[in-house]
Amino acid sequence: MKVLVTGFDPFGGESINPAYEAVKMLPDEIAGAQIIKREIPTSFTRGTAEVVRQIELCQPDLVLNVGQAGGAAGLRVERVAINLADARIPDNDGAQPVDEPLVQDGAPAYFAKLPVKAMVRGVQAKGYPCQLSYTAGTYVCNAVMYTVLHTVQSYPHIRAGFVHVPYATSQLEGKAAGTPAMPLADITAALAAAIEAAVQNKTDLKEQMGRLD
Ligand code: PCA
């Protein structure tokens, strides 16, 4: 089994992106699956095009895209991607789309094709903070998640989804006191636990993980 794992390049003035830093440090094999690691640009156009190119090139069985969610206290396994770009800051190409669909006449949203609850529990079982999330935002991460889920409509055997990771501790300098972060080694280990759960669980857990907000 082949797993394509991507991480974004730095954006928004940061000098690293903990997503790609952690992806880079993943082992080459998790739960018997081969891990293929790629960096993708934080760009609405180039990031989405590159991930589709990598899917066609690598022919993976499972795709997990990973991005930074600054301010998150732990990992966030994303359940939903929406057909909307509304950028609070320009991407790495200077593009700042407002209220634009990602795919003209595309489905309003897609659900992750991964056992998201099993992934949350898998990460928590290793002692790392992790939550199920019902929005991946409206920036490049959501765009990549939506594009991948749209693309795999034509490859029904490919399972796919997205995980957001918090700031690495090394990024905290100059940020407000109390900004949450995790050591990069912990982000990497937590990500590996999420991948292990995704590889090992073909169906999701049937347990309540809903939210009221
Ligand atoms: N995080 C951004 C885009 C790239 C990344 O790592 C996001 O959450 O949209």
Side-chain angles (χ1 to χ4, degrees), residues 49-126:
E50 179 61 10
V51 82
V52 171
R53 195 177 79 88
Q54 289 297 338
I55 290 172
E56 283 161 1
L57 217 62
C58 303
Q59 298 283 316
D61 305 287
L62 195 155
V63 182
L64 186 70
N65 306 108
V66 186
Q68 164 190 296
L75 271 69
R76 293 201 323 220
V77 179
E78 300 297 347
R79 191 168 199 179
V80 185
I82 59 175
N83 190 13
L84 176 72
D86 191 351
R88 187 172 55 76
I89 55 170
D91 70 8
N92 285 352
D93 292 334
Q96 194 167 6
V98 173
D99 291 352
E100 288 178 19
L102 296 165
V103 175
Q104 205 70 46
D105 300 321
Y110 289 111
F111 288 120
K113 284 178 68 185
L114 289 180
V116 288
K117 293 179 173 179
M119 292 166 72
V120 169
R121 290 291 182 237
V123 175
Q124 291 172 340
K126 295 266 159 63

Side-chain angles (χ1 to χ4, degrees), residues 71-211:
L75 271 69
R76 293 201 323 220
V77 179
E78 300 297 347
R79 191 168 199 179
V80 185
I82 59 175
N83 190 13
L84 176 72
D86 191 351
R88 187 172 55 76
I89 55 170
D91 70 8
N92 285 352
D93 292 334
Q96 194 167 6
V98 173
D99 291 352
E100 288 178 19
L102 296 165
V103 175
Q104 205 70 46
D105 300 321
Y110 289 111
F111 288 120
K113 284 178 68 185
L114 289 180
V116 288
K117 293 179 173 179
M119 292 166 72
V120 169
R121 290 291 182 237
V123 175
Q124 291 172 340
K126 295 266 159 63
Y128 301 108
C130 186
Q131 276 197 338
L132 185 55
S133 162
Y134 290 84
T135 171
T138 56
Y139 192 52
V140 179
C141 287
N142 172 72
V144 162
M145 183 181 176
Y146 182 90
T147 302
V148 169
L149 290 168
H150 183 72
T151 302
V152 301
Q153 296 292 301
S154 318
Y155 303 91
H157 63 284
I158 303 183
R159 302 191 294 139
F162 197 101
V163 170
H164 266 118
V165 300
Y167 285 133
T169 315
S170 63
Q171 292 174 279
L172 285 184
E173 206 184 310
K175 293 199 171 62
T179 302
M182 280 168 70
L184 206 47
D186 288 0
I187 296 177
T188 308
L191 203 53
I195 294 168
E196 184 179 333
V199 168
Q200 288 179 335
N201 292 273
K202 293 286 179 289
T203 54
D204 208 354
L205 305 175
K206 197 86 191 156
E207 70 168 277
Q208 160 316 100
M209 222 178 266
R211 304 176 65 114

